[in-house]
Amino acid sequence: VAAWYGGEVAKKLQGVSEETSGLVTVMTKMAADVQKPMKELAEGLEKAVQQLEASAKSLAKLPKFIEQELQGKDSPDDVASINTEPMRKALAVGDLDGPLSAIGGMKGLLDGAIGVLRSGAETLETFLQSAPGAVRSAFDLPAPLCALQSVLMSQAPQLLTDLLGMLEKLQGVSLQPLMDALSGTQSKVGALDVEQIKSPVNTFMESAKDLVDKLDKTVSGAKLASKGMSMPGAPAAPEMPAMPKKKAFGCFGKK
């Protein structure tokens, strides 16, 4: 009888073992599925932040470049010496659309990671709800010995105690804190109004580009004037374009 009972217990525990193996497979896949988007998210954020910093620094230098080049330039020869190349380079590097749009697009990565975690958490919860009962039932005595079940459980086999102890430890595992953290990040990224940030920047860049274009034309006219040549429609002493208002650049802080 003991040998038969031991065989029946082993058969029933085999089912629990298969469920456990399935859980391990699911959780391993979950870890891999979460790792990929999280790695892409980390790399994407780092790249976007670096681009934002480079763009902001480049734009912050633009007013100073313009001011330095225009300062004290009042004769055609002085104006002809103005170099607009650094200004154009600052405008070219100072593109915020790309990195800001990249950050806004990362919501999809977070959606995928949270979905994978939620699915894994549901699988783990289902297993933990059913596994303890399945382990206990594996040690149930068959009729008519079931009347002795309470006696057996009062002196529970060590294997049963060990298995239930392992399952109890697993119940302390929770993916909720990680899901809450990702959901918080998702909310912040989702709440990011890219257009609201880009609008004043684009306004400043358009104003600055227009200024540099006018400055280029003024410099070309000054070069012709300094050589004693005439240019249709151009004044003898080219008028310097007005500086853009610094208020438009205020959102970048320190210049």
Side-chain angles (χ1 to χ4, degrees):
V1 175
W4 174 84
Y5 173 69
E8 289 299 306
V9 170
K11 287 180 183 177
K12 293 177 181 178
L13 287 179
Q14 180 63 32
V16 177
S17 175
E18 289 173 359
E19 285 187 28
T20 305
S21 296
L23 176 67
V24 170
T25 300
V26 169
M27 299 304 284
T28 301
K29 184 177 183 301
M30 180 198 72
D33 289 345
V34 169
Q35 183 180 22
K36 182 179 179 181
M38 293 308 294
K39 182 180 179 182
E40 291 178 2
L41 177 66
E43 291 175 350
L45 278 174
E46 182 179 5
K47 182 178 179 181
V49 169
Q50 288 176 350
Q51 289 176 335
L52 280 173
E53 288 179 347
S55 297
K57 287 179 181 178
S58 180
L59 287 176
K61 294 176 182 177
L62 185 57
K64 187 175 181 180
F65 285 152
I66 297 175
E67 186 176 358
Q68 287 176 339
E69 287 296 326
L70 296 185
Q71 190 173 13
K73 303 292 195 307
D74 45 22
S75 70
D77 288 340
D78 290 336
V79 175
S81 68
I82 292 176
N83 180 16
T84 60
E85 190 60 28
M87 306 174 199
R88 294 207 173 274
K89 285 184 178 179
L91 282 171
V93 177
D95 174 32
L96 300 183
D97 284 19
L100 284 174
S101 298
I103 292 175
M106 289 175 190
K107 186 176 180 294
L109 291 174
L110 288 167
D111 288 342
I114 291 173
V116 170
L117 284 173
R118 184 173 290 114
S119 176
E122 291 172 354
T123 301
L124 179 61
E125 183 179 0
T126 300
F127 173 80
L128 291 176
Q129 286 177 348
S130 63
V135 170
R136 290 190 183 93
S137 66
F139 289 86
D140 286 350
L141 291 171
L145 300 176
C146 56
L148 301 174
Q149 186 69 28
S150 60
V151 177
L152 175 66
M153 289 299 102
S154 66
Q155 300 176 359
Q158 188 61 43
L159 177 59
L160 173 59
T161 302
D162 291 344
L163 288 173
L164 292 176
M166 292 177 189
L167 290 172
E168 186 176 353
K169 289 181 180 178
L170 270 179
Q171 288 177 342
V173 176
S174 175
L175 299 177
Q176 193 60 45
L178 181 56
M179 285 193 291
D180 289 344
L182 288 177
S183 296
T185 303
Q186 181 189 42
S187 298
K188 291 177 182 177
V189 172
L192 178 66
D193 191 340
V194 174
E195 292 305 319
Q196 187 177 13
I197 298 173
K198 285 161 55 175
S199 179
V201 176
N202 288 338
T203 298
F204 169 78
M205 290 186 69
E206 289 172 6
S207 174
K209 185 178 182 301
D210 183 59
L211 171 67
V212 174
D213 288 342
K214 290 179 180 178
L215 190 56
D216 268 337
K217 292 179 181 179
T218 302
V219 171
S220 297
K223 287 179 179 179
L224 291 174
S226 65
K227 293 178 180 179
M229 298 177 62
S230 63
M231 184 176 183
E239 183 180 350
M240 299 297 291
M243 285 279 288
K245 294 181 180 179
K246 294 184 179 180
K247 184 178 180 181
F249 194 71
C251 60
F252 293 100
K254 187 176 180 180
K255 295 187 287 292

